[in-house]
Amino acid sequence: AIPVTKTDTDQGQRRLVLRAGAVTDAEKIEAVHWLGLEAAFHGRIPGWPERPRDIGERVMRWRRWLLATDIDVVVGEVGGEIVGFCTLRSGSDTDLHPLTEGEIRPLYVHPEQWNSGYGTRLCREALRTADDRGFVSVSLWVVDVNERARDFYLGFGFTPDGETRLEPH
């Protein structure tokens, strides 16, 4: 379970509230996810993010994830509006043990809130949740052109393992 916690940001903005995501959040989470994808990747990877966007399918995927008992979705809100989210689940790679190794997939903050500290709070909460679930390690994948995300995760102590993969988008 993800407790509701509040924190002030360093910039003195309104409080960030962290809570477990609910199925009713699917549309808002998808909106933040899409805006983050566009801000990070539009014009950097040909054909991605996909256009036109299949909002219905993307929202349905979020509903499935939010209903799943093996996926934790941490939502960050400011003033009742979702500004970011982070998901944690059992590791999905074949070299990971699903009971002891977790995976963050994905973590996004609304582009207007980048550099607010919200991503840090979301990631910390996901790592705390991983500890509560008994995971001894947590992994994640980062798109190679996303230097911002790579630097963010390096700051948390994640280290590249040299693996790469191609996924259809």
Side-chain angles (χ1 to χ4, degrees), residues 16-165:
L16 177 69
V17 176
L18 299 178
R19 63 171 175 80
V23 71
T24 56
D25 296 323
E27 291 86 0
K28 291 180 180 180
I29 292 171
E30 169 50 29
V32 170
H33 191 186
W34 185 259
L35 290 169
L37 283 170
E38 282 192 320
F41 301 114
H42 183 66
R44 299 184 76 193
I45 300 175
W48 196 63
E50 322 81 27
R51 286 189 176 71
R53 168 178 156 210
D54 185 347
I55 297 171
E57 176 53 36
R58 294 178 64 87
V59 168
M60 287 305 298
R61 181 182 64 213
W62 276 110
R63 286 185 179 135
R64 285 190 304 271
W65 281 21
L66 289 158
L67 289 170
T69 58
D70 60 335
I71 300 175
D72 291 290
V73 181
V74 181
V75 171
E77 290 183 331
V78 174
E81 292 297 319
I82 293 176
V83 296
F85 62 89
C86 184
T87 62
L88 175 75
R89 65 182 189 183
S90 295
S92 62
D93 293 341
T94 57
D95 62 335
L96 299 178
H97 190 286
L99 295 178
T100 59
E101 296 174 290
E103 177 179 38
I104 289 177
R105 181 177 180 175
L107 183 159
Y108 277 88
V109 172
H110 192 293
E112 291 178 1
Q113 303 298 326
W114 286 357
N115 299 316
S116 65
Y118 298 159
T120 298
R121 290 282 295 131
L122 286 161
C123 193
R124 280 188 190 140
E125 186 63 21
L127 294 173
R128 189 200 61 72
T129 301
D131 189 53
D132 289 350
R133 287 181 63 174
F135 293 145
V136 295
S137 67
V138 175
S139 64
L140 53 88
W141 287 93
V142 178
V143 177
D144 61 351
V145 300
N146 195 348
E147 299 87 3
R148 176 185 195 85
R150 285 197 330 253
D151 291 345
F152 175 82
Y153 291 120
L154 287 171
F156 266 92
F158 287 92
T159 56
D161 64 5
E163 294 293 319
T164 60
R165 70 179 181 196

